[in-house]
Every structure is written in C-alpha cells, then in structure tokens.
Amino acid sequence: MHTSITLPEAFFLPLGDDAYQPTEATIGPWSVESQHGGPPIALLAQALRRFPSEFGLDIARITFEILGPVPVEPCELRVRVLRPGRRIELIQGEMLVRGKPVLLAHAWRVERKPESAVAVADPFAVPPLPEAQAQVFFHGVDYFPYADALEWRFADGSFREPGPATVWARPRIPLVAGQPTDGIETLLLILDSANGISAELDIRHWTFVPVDLTLNMHRHPTGEWFGMSARTIIDPGGIGTVTTAVFDRDGALGRSLHTLFVRKK
C-alpha cells in the first residue's frame, strides 16, 4: 500500500551562493538516495531562465544531459554563455554535487519580435482538464515522494496502465522555498515523468531510465496546470524514446524527447 509523505516546504531549500538543499519531495521511485529527474532539471532550468539576457531573448529549446543518478544532497548551479548574440544565443548550465557535475544543460535563447512571422498553428488538440482524481501510482511502489508532491489528473491512461497516456499535473509545493515558480520550471518539473506515465513495461521488473530530455517551445508556458501526452517506443536492443506533446490551459506549446536506457532488473 502506498503511504503518502508529509509535504515539505518546497522541493529545494536555498543555501545561498547558488547552492540548494533537496528535500524529501525530490525522491523518485528508483532509490531513496536519488532524486527524480524532474526537480533537479527544473532547478537548473530556473538558473538558465534567470541568467541575464542583454537583449531580452526567450528560451526556445533546452536540452538536459543526465550524467548519472542525482543524489539527495546539496547542489551548486553554474551558468555561462557559450555563443553570444543579439538575436540568437546559446547558454550552458551545470548542476554539481560534491564538486562533480550531475546535470548538464544547453539552452538556445531567441529573439521574440511581434508580427515578425506568419503564424502556423499547432494541430494538437488539448484535452479538457478532468475533475479531481484519486492519486494512484505504480504497482509495487510504496514510497514515491516526488509523485506525492504533485496533483495528477489523467485524461487518458494512468500510472498503472501500460501504453500512451495524457495527463494534467500541477505541483503542490514551490520548487524553491520562498520563491515563485515560473511556467518553464513548472513544466519541466512535470515533464521528466513522461516516460513514467507512458511506460510500456512493469517498473517492478524493468528499469527504463532517461539519459536526457529535450524541450522545444514555440511560446512561454503559463498558468498553474500543465499537460503532456506521451508515447514510449522501445527497441529490442534496450534503447527507447519517449515523444511528448506539451500544453497548458492556453493550448499546445511544444514537444519533448527522451532517450531511454532499458534493461531487465
């Protein structure tokens, strides 16, 4: 039987000087010593979004390389410019634990100028936000603090049904204690679970771990609720992909892609 945790103040507590302490809410389903990918990815995204842009450029794409399990230990963030520009710029972020990089990110920032292009609409049909649902997670997973720290409402599928799924979600606590959480961070906090909601294999017998996450956005995410419609594909050689349409209450806003390492436990 799943036992819900008492929610902490936030996913992370600020320690000063770009350092943070993860709380219990960051823990994923694989190990009590490792964070779910969503919280640390969202935290690094926050550092990238806040990094000063002289020309007011917007993040259009972020790619995260997950260099290994992210421990539930204090971390530091670093951001620098790799390719400066007035209209297009590439920045890089790192998360370090005990001085060792555990996450690497690259973000393209692009000029957004009104009336500079002909609009082409995304054809993805956003499902209505369902009514509140019972929070039910994977079979055999009794301790999943990260999942407890969000509210999930499935429009199609569930954590316990194999195959593609569509879900709305929102965090129950802030990303960082005492700080507002922007739409990009909230979306990424949720998005790393796309492989979980669309899992084709039983988590009790299989490992299907993302090694990366790429998010492309044609507009900035806004609001409290964010959604994803995800599908997992797995090759017999043990490599998988997860493709996801992402959206908010205003409509579709982009796509994401995971690469999976898949093995029998």
Side-chain angles (χ1 to χ4, degrees), residues 5-14 20-28 35-43 46 71-75 95 144-152 169-179 181 185-190:
I5 67 167
T6 299
L7 292 178
E9 182 180 0
F11 289 94
F12 294 95
L13 305 177
Y20 298 86
Q21 172 66 53
T23 68
E24 184 183 13
T26 65
I27 296 174
Q35 297 184 52
H36 186 278
I41 281 173
L43 185 66
Q46 182 183 77
V72 187
E73 297 180 26
C75 62
M95 175 178 286
F144 195 180
Y146 161 80
D148 290 328
L150 288 97
E151 179 181 359
W152 307 87
R170 64 176 174 180
R172 300 180 188 272
I173 55 176
L175 179 65
V176 178
Q179 299 180 16
T181 307
E185 292 103 77
T186 304
L187 174 60
L188 285 163
L189 179 66
I190 296 163

Side-chain angles (χ1 to χ4, degrees), residues 197-257:
I197 68 159
S198 67
E200 294 283 354
L201 302 173
D202 191 326
I203 194 172
R204 294 170 291 184
H205 308 299
W206 293 88
T207 296
F208 38 94
V209 178
V211 300
D212 62 8
L213 168 59
T214 294
L215 170 63
N216 287 85
M217 302 174 291
H218 55 262
R219 65 173 177 84
H220 192 95
T222 59
E224 178 185 13
W225 286 95
F226 294 90
M228 52 187 174
S229 184
R231 176 183 295 273
T232 294
I233 297 172
I234 301 173
D235 180 81
I239 298 175
T241 59
V242 182
T243 53
T244 309
V246 294
F247 50 91
D248 59 18
R249 299 293 289 271
D250 294 328
L253 57 87
R255 298 291 187 277
S256 75
L257 179 68

Side-chain angles (χ1 to χ4, degrees), residues 28-142:
W30 305 108
S31 167
V32 296
E33 298 178 351
S34 300
Q35 297 184 52
H36 186 278
I41 281 173
L43 185 66
L44 187 52
Q46 182 183 77
L48 291 165
R49 179 185 60 80
R50 290 180 173 177
F51 192 72
S53 172
E54 182 179 355
F55 302 103
L57 306 181
D58 283 354
I59 292 177
R61 192 224 71 186
I62 311 181
T63 294
F64 299 88
E65 312 293 352
I66 304 170
L67 304 180
V70 181
V72 187
E73 297 180 26
C75 62
E76 298 177 63
L77 306 179
R78 297 176 184 171
V79 181
R80 66 189 181 105
V81 176
L82 287 183
R83 189 271 195 193
R86 290 177 174 269
R87 293 186 172 182
I88 301 173
E89 179 178 68
L90 181 64
I91 59 176
Q92 181 186 71
E94 279 187 307
M95 175 178 286
L96 300 98
V97 175
R98 285 183 276 174
K100 177 183 176 181
V102 293
L103 276 180
L104 181 65
H106 292 91
W108 281 105
R109 302 200 290 193
V110 179
E111 180 188 53
R112 186 181 299 278
K113 185 177 180 181
E115 309 301 327
S116 61
V118 176
V120 178
D122 190 321
F124 179 79
V126 174
L129 176 66
E131 296 296 323
Q133 300 174 353
Q135 304 296 280
V136 179
F137 306 122
F138 299 112
H139 287 291
V141 176
D142 300 327

